Every structure is written in structure tokens, then in C-alpha cells.
Amino acid sequence: NIIGFVGGMDVPLIKKFEAGYIAGAKSVNPDVQVISLYTGSFTDQAKGKELGLSLIDQGADVIYAAAGACGTGTVQACQEKGALFIGVDADQYLTIEGSGDVMLTSMMKRVDNAVFLTVKDAVDGTLKAGENRVFGLAEDGVGLAPYHDWDAKMPAEVKAAVDKAIADINAGTVTVPETK
């Protein structure tokens, strides 16, 4: 009933990652305790490991790190202490070598899709200059990486619950909060 979050800098974007993680966890277990710690950096791997170890010592068995390269240190903490890890930005199974033993999945920013759709709009003449465009789940601007080494171990009901949450967010029946 305890999970952890390691954030990099205490900035609005990372706070959104934290808020979504907490809301998602509480949607399946209202009694879960989420302990959040911030490294104050996106590059200090030693601090990422230190905070990961601290979270594990406080009882966290799953840690989500939205902390750039600090997450590599958090993976090391998970490997040393037997906790599980959720990555961020890219499929970190592919970017943190040897992490498959603890890497459940990653939240991926699909910048490739955002760039493609923006260029397509420019070519088609439908690009609206001066306007921000949000690329969320429905636009395939963010997504979930494969479970890789954990795929066969992931219970079907967990996979179904994740798929339902994605569908509910896309349908607008669930709104992911931007703040805690």
C-alpha cells in the first residue's frame, strides 16, 4: 500500500506527472500512500538513487521517476532493494541497459507523433499559427511502453484495467488531474 514518486525539478510539468500517478494509483486503491521526493535536478543520478533507496526504506515497492537521468539512479536502487520501476519520456527498458528485471513499463512522450502531425498540418495548410496544441492520449502524444520482461507476469486483469483507464480517459469519462 505504499508506492513512490521521484521527481526532478519541482516545476509544473513534473507536478502534473506526480498528480496523474497519484490519481491513477488511488483509482485502483484508495488507501495507497504515495510518497513523493524531488531531486532538484534532472541529471544527478546519485541523488536519484539516494531518493529511491529512501522510498524503498519507507516501504515503497513501486517507484515512478519523472526525473530525467536521475531515474537511472532510481533504477539502481530498485535493483539493489527488489522494488519495481516505472520509467518516463521514452521506453526506458530500451534506454537503461539491464533494467528489465525491475522495469514494469514507461510513460512515453510520443514527440514523433506530435512532430509528424504538426508537419502534416503545415503541408496540408491547416496549421494554426500562434496556437498551442495538446497531444494527449487521444492524439497518441503520450502512451504506455510495452511490459517487456514483465508481460507474461502481468495479470490479465491488470492489463484490462490499464486498457479501460486509457479508454475512459480518451472517452472523457475520466479526467486526469493536473495538480494533487
Side-chain angles (χ1 to χ4, degrees):
N1 283 332
I2 301 172
I3 59 176
F5 175 83
V6 173
M9 300 297 290
D10 188 353
V11 295
L13 177 62
I14 303 305
K15 292 294 211 180
K16 287 181 183 180
F17 284 89
E18 178 187 10
Y21 180 59
I22 292 169
K26 289 195 175 282
S27 75
V28 294
N29 180 359
D31 297 325
V32 71
Q33 179 185 1
V34 183
I35 304 169
S36 299
L37 301 174
Y38 280 77
T39 63
S41 165
F42 288 116
T43 58
D44 189 344
Q45 292 182 19
K47 188 70 171 181
K49 183 175 181 178
E50 174 189 329
L51 296 186
L53 291 170
S54 174
L55 289 167
I56 295 164
D57 287 346
Q58 294 177 68
D61 55 3
V62 176
I63 300 173
Y64 172 45
C70 299
T72 301
T74 309
V75 166
Q76 294 167 351
C78 290
Q79 289 175 315
E80 286 181 18
K81 296 282 190 160
L84 299 174
F85 183 82
I86 300 171
V88 75
D89 293 339
D91 183 350
Q92 288 197 300
Y93 177 90
L94 303 174
T95 63
I96 301 177
E97 189 174 334
S99 62
D101 57 331
V102 297
M103 183 77 61
L104 288 176
T105 187
S106 298
M107 185 293 305
M108 298 189 309
K109 292 181 190 171
R110 298 298 313 270
V111 177
D112 56 337
N113 290 334
V115 170
F116 175 80
L117 292 171
T118 302
V119 170
K120 182 180 181 311
D121 286 352
V123 169
D124 293 345
T126 59
L127 181 66
K128 296 177 182 167
E131 292 184 15
N132 289 330
R133 184 169 173 194
V134 175
F135 293 92
L137 275 173
E139 298 80 15
D140 203 20
V142 294
L144 192 65
Y147 299 114
H148 295 291
D149 294 356
W150 289 88
D151 191 61
K153 302 171 196 171
M154 193 67 61
E157 59 269 15
V158 171
K159 290 179 183 179
V162 169
D163 291 343
K164 182 177 182 335
I166 291 169
D168 289 347
I169 291 167
N170 283 336
T173 57
V174 169
T175 302
V176 179
E178 295 188 8
T179 58
K180 291 194 282 183

